[in-house]
Amino acid sequence: MDKIRIIGGTPLVGSIPISGAKNAALPLMTAALLTDEKLVLSNVPYLADIVTMANLLAQHGVSLSLPQGKGRSMSLDASNINNLTAPYEVVRTMRASVLVLGPLLARFGAAKVSLPGGCAIGTRPIDLHLKALEAMGAEIDLQDGYIHAKVASRLKGAVINFEKISVGATENILMAACLAEGKTVLHNAACEPEICDLAYCLQAMGAEIQGIGTDTITVTGVEALHGAHHTVIADRIEAGSFAAAAAITGGDVELLGARAEHMTAVIEKFEAAGISVSETARGLRVKCEGRIQGIDIMTAPYPGFPTDMQAQMMALLSVADGASMVTETIFENRYMHVPELTRMGANIVVHGSSAMIRGAGKLRGAEVMATDLRASVSLVIAALAAEGETLIHRVYHLDRGYERLEEKLGLCGANIERITSRQSIKTEAA
Ligand code: UD1
């Protein structure tokens, strides 16, 4: 397994191009299942999760190309679907696979999708997805670890009151509602920019959707959708992660393509911590000259502070002046980065869903283990500021969500290198 070696202490200076958003691209790829015409997506990041989704769609019968060329375009053609089963082997490796359920059921009247099972950051059930589909007339059976869903003719529009805000459930039901008979109203819908991006693409495919960007989305079902071309929005979490990397090293970095309007809560917290963030013609500039100040953060659904930025902020606050309190309200087990950051000298105490961070001033390089996607990038951020060498194991987590991470950071002066399995065997043997 590959490792990443970082020698900390160099301020990051330069510019970093921000890729297309993984969490927008994944549902957009599944939207291709809603039509027998071609969907072309541009600005799709080339990531392990995108390849996993491509493999899943290909085994359903979608013919597609992986993101290619400078525009990172991919085309998806679901005119010959020959298999309505999403198997356990794929779904267990990537939960977003469950987003094929709504589109398959809406267009073909049946789908068999593996239950995703456990996940490192929490139990993450999918009851909200299933309840809403049942309200739309689907019959759902859970057997042998699979969701068996079918509907006699077409899904029927319904009023859905989500009892909890869920990004995935909003996306699944939004897609299903596009081909349902009549009107569907989604109350307490998630409002993340990735959901708006999906809705705009569905509109370009002929869907009738109102209330995009609000917590009440109304969809009037149509008989069929058609092909379209859509460009994926910039990844606000990748941008936030590199902003934290720039800040912790006392650097000055321009994040090309980053969109401030998608990052309001994150920018507010950076500024409260004494980090300057300004909009430029090409994106956002992040600059940190003085000491970082301790602040309090509570994660919440959009437009609140994103849970996907919690670990990165914790790395940043580990070197701050004063104490910080971070409270995680979305996932119950999202502090697995804490013991690893502690190995690097961070002073963090977790009580239930809150963590108290007492700024340690300096971090020290250590051998650490990546446990999930955002936890692993928090270790990269900490390592960039730490004294000496950090070796991060299990970097396949990073490859799920960060495109060319070492190259992007390296171009801004970071001393970072990937040790591929072969090299590492040699190093270990030497
Ligand atoms: C998406 C993002 C993930 C992000 C998360 C929260 C993608 C591919 N992934 O995940 O990066 O961390 O949003 O912003 O976009 N829940 C239920 N029942 C359900 C569904 C969810 O109880 O049926 C709970 C979850 O356990 C969690 C909370 O709702 O506690 C939010 O989860 P959700 O918004 O659904 O996250 P995902 O869509 O899985």
Side-chain angles (χ1 to χ4, degrees):
M1 268 183 276
D2 291 3
K3 296 171 196 165
I4 282 184
R5 179 192 286 139
I6 295 173
I7 297 169
T10 315
L12 297 186
V13 177
S15 54
I16 299 182
I18 300 304
S19 297
K22 167 181 87 76
N23 285 355
L26 292 171
L28 284 164
M29 289 170 73
T30 67
L33 292 168
L34 290 163
T35 175
D36 61 3
E37 294 183 21
K38 199 185 274 184
L39 176 65
V40 179
L41 299 174
S42 300
N43 200 31
V44 179
Y46 203 128
L47 298 167
D49 273 12
I50 297 294
V51 175
T52 304
M53 182 59 88
N55 288 336
L56 175 64
L57 294 174
Q59 67 86 47
H60 286 304
V62 177
S63 51
L64 49 78
S65 60
L66 284 169
Q68 282 170 350
K70 249 191 146 193
R72 286 282 196 266
S73 281
M74 74 186 297
S75 81
L76 302 104
D77 176 346
S79 56
N80 282 313
I81 296 300
N82 49 30
N83 168 24
L84 299 178
T85 300
Y88 178 62
E89 300 78 73
V90 184
V91 182
R92 80 185 160 90
T93 64
M94 189 183 68
R95 293 181 53 83
S97 312
V98 84
L99 293 173
V100 300
L101 177 61
L104 285 175
L105 187 59
R107 180 157 158 233
F108 301 100
K112 181 179 163 191
V113 176
S114 168
L115 283 161
C119 163
I121 62 176
T123 49
R124 298 182 82 173
I126 55 158
D127 56 317
L128 301 170
H129 306 232
L130 303 184
K131 258 191 228 165
L133 289 171
E134 278 178 333
M136 296 172 79
E139 265 179 57
I140 294 188
D141 277 324
L142 301 183
Q143 272 174 40
D144 317 321
Y146 277 80
I147 304 154
H148 297 253
K150 60 178 190 228
V151 60
S153 53
R154 249 173 106 184
L155 287 171
K156 295 213 169 17
V159 176
I160 312 289
N161 288 299
F162 288 116
E163 60 200 62
K164 193 170 181 182
I165 298 178
S166 160
V167 173
T170 303
E171 291 166 343
N172 230 340
I173 305 311
L174 172 63
M175 289 190 278
C178 290
L179 293 181
E181 201 180 318
K183 194 179 272 189
T184 301
V185 186
L186 281 69
H187 290 292
N188 203 24
C191 316
E192 270 68 2
E194 293 76 19
I195 292 173
C196 300
D197 205 32
L198 172 64
Y200 291 133
C201 175
L202 293 168
Q203 277 186 329
M205 294 166 74
E208 290 182 22
I209 306 172
Q210 281 165 332
I212 298 173
T214 74
D215 63 0
T216 303
I217 305 177
T218 304
V219 185
T220 307
V222 294
E223 295 257 335
L225 294 180
H226 51 72
H229 182 185
H230 179 83
T231 302
V232 178
I233 51 168
D235 195 318
R236 64 195 167 102
I237 305 299
E238 188 199 18
S241 305
F242 287 133
I248 202 170
T249 61
D252 183 355
V253 168
E254 191 178 11
L255 304 166
L256 307 178
R259 288 174 60 174
E261 73 270 28
H262 294 164
M263 299 174 63
T264 313
V266 173
I267 293 173
E268 269 173 27
K269 290 299 176 187
F270 272 96
E271 286 174 341
I275 298 153
S276 142
V277 183
S278 53
E279 274 193 82
T280 66
R282 303 190 299 173
L284 278 181
R285 180 176 177 194
V286 180
K287 194 172 168 189
C288 186
E289 283 172 324
R291 304 266 320 144
I292 295 166
Q293 303 303 311
I295 49 164
D296 292 349
I297 291 174
M298 186 181 286
T299 63
Y302 191 85
F305 191 90
T307 174
D308 286 352
M309 273 298 297
Q310 181 256 104
Q312 299 89 314
M313 287 310 270
M314 213 182 260
L316 188 62
L317 296 173
S318 298
V319 301
D321 276 349
S324 305
M325 169 90 95
V326 170
T327 304
E328 172 60 57
T329 71
I330 310 289
F331 294 112
E332 68 267 28
N333 188 25
R334 205 165 197 184
Y335 285 134
M336 282 170 313
H337 42 287
V338 170
E340 303 303 310
L341 289 172
T342 306
R343 287 178 56 75
M344 299 177 71
N347 183 345
I348 306 175
V349 182
V350 176
H351 286 295
S353 62
S354 291
M356 165 74 89
I357 305 138
R358 292 185 177 88
K362 277 211 165 359
L363 296 173
R364 296 179 303 273
E367 219 164 309
V368 289
M369 183 106 76
T371 49
D372 71 60
L373 172 56
R374 307 303 169 186
S376 34
V377 84
S378 80
L379 301 177
V380 171
I381 292 165
L384 289 169
E387 271 173 10
E389 179 182 301
T390 298
L391 200 55
I392 305 175
H393 293 262
R394 298 199 182 164
V395 298
Y396 57 85
H397 289 292
L398 277 174
D399 296 333
R400 292 187 59 177
Y402 291 89
E403 195 178 21
R404 299 181 289 117
L405 177 100
E406 312 91 272
E407 188 188 320
K408 289 186 184 189
L409 289 171
L411 285 172
C412 290
N415 189 337
I416 178 169
E417 105 179 280
R418 178 181 290 252
I419 307 170
T420 55
S421 304
R422 266 207 189 150
Q423 252 177 300
S424 74
I425 291 166
K426 260 196 257 152
T427 318
E428 276 156 15

